[in-house]
Amino acid sequence: IEENPDLLKLGGERKRITVVFADLANFTTFCDTADPQEIQEVLSIYFAAAADTVFSEGGVIDKYLGDGILAFFENDGDSISSPVKATRACIALQEWALKTNKRFKEQNRFPFIIRAGIATGYAKVGNIGPPEKIDYTIIGSVVNLASRLEGVGEDNDIIVDQDTQFFLKDDFFIESVGEKELKGFKKSIEVFRVNYRNEIT
């Protein structure tokens, strides 16, 4: 802030970013039967792991929405690096979730399964809101798209839109899962799955 006071200005800036929305599968059912202490413990474990993976790739956690996490990644200079950074973060989170789910099953606990959606596009990024409550946040249809893509996925999936896929196709195993009708979008959208279990390391 000392080096760049403009960070405190209100209104935000239009940027091309990549947005991630991830949540826990069947969490509502779990909440109906679990003790609040158990719910809090599961969320704490999940949020801590998500924060580690997002921050390791230079991302920003915008907010927690129940069991959902909204995060975004900006680009480095003139390069479009945000799709790759977001995807690496999601792969790391899913690999962690698979290990955690195995441990939870052995303990007869809640199945720990994550779904994630990734979308790339333009959004307003910055300090937004009234003076009484200002957030550094993002606004734009790309945010809604990431959320809808998460809903399309199955357990353990990472689902991306076509713009994200364009920047991933040379470095990741990607497959089309066809065109989907997404709530809030007039036209059907082709979506893709990241086959992270086949990634070459």
Side-chain angles (χ1 to χ4, degrees):
I1 292 172
E2 289 179 348
E3 294 174 358
N4 187 5
D6 287 346
L7 290 173
L8 295 178
K9 287 184 178 179
L10 296 178
E13 178 183 356
R14 186 174 183 266
K15 294 182 179 181
R16 192 177 194 178
I17 62 172
T18 299
V19 179
V20 170
F21 187 84
D23 74 355
L24 295 172
N26 303 315
F27 191 73
T28 301
T29 302
F30 169 64
C31 289
D32 285 342
T33 58
D35 181 88
Q37 181 63 36
E38 172 72 1
I39 296 170
Q40 181 184 358
E41 182 180 347
V42 168
L43 287 177
S44 295
I45 294 170
Y46 167 48
F47 290 156
D52 284 345
T53 57
V54 169
F55 295 158
S56 69
E57 294 292 343
V60 176
I61 292 181
D62 184 286
K63 57 178 63 73
Y64 300 113
L65 303 163
D67 63 310
I69 293 174
L70 178 64
F72 65 94
F73 297 78
E74 300 185 49
N75 295 297
D76 301 315
D78 294 330
S79 66
I80 307 298
S81 57
S82 61
V84 170
K85 291 191 291 186
T87 302
R88 285 197 304 240
C90 282
I91 289 173
L93 182 60
Q94 288 288 25
E95 290 176 341
W96 169 86
L98 289 170
K99 294 176 182 177
T100 303
N101 187 47
K102 182 179 179 181
R103 188 176 76 249
F104 271 39
K105 280 185 176 180
E106 291 171 351
Q107 299 171 353
N108 293 317
R109 299 177 67 184
F110 164 68
F112 211 106
I113 298 170
I114 294 176
R115 294 188 300 254
I118 305 176
T120 299
Y122 286 93
K124 203 72 173 293
V125 182
N127 298 306
I128 297 169
E132 293 80 11
K133 181 65 172 69
I134 298 171
D135 283 329
Y136 187 78
T137 189
I138 50 178
I139 294 177
S141 64
V142 67
V143 181
N144 297 330
L145 178 55
S147 175
R148 300 304 182 201
L149 291 173
E150 178 277 325
V152 167
E154 299 177 0
D155 291 352
N156 306 306
D157 269 356
I158 300 172
I159 302 295
V160 306
D161 69 332
Q162 193 163 23
D163 286 349
T164 303
Q165 179 266 348
F166 177 82
F167 294 100
L168 302 180
K169 60 187 179 182
D170 294 333
D171 300 306
F172 298 87
F173 292 94
I174 309 289
E175 65 175 345
S176 173
V177 292
E179 293 193 351
K180 302 291 183 181
E181 298 283 343
L182 303 180
K183 185 178 179 180
F185 293 85
K186 293 181 179 179
K187 297 181 179 179
S188 59
I189 296 174
E190 185 175 10
V191 302
F192 302 81
R193 178 184 292 112
V194 179
N195 289 321
Y196 59 92
R197 299 191 199 190
N198 296 323
E199 291 302 317
I200 299 174
T201 55

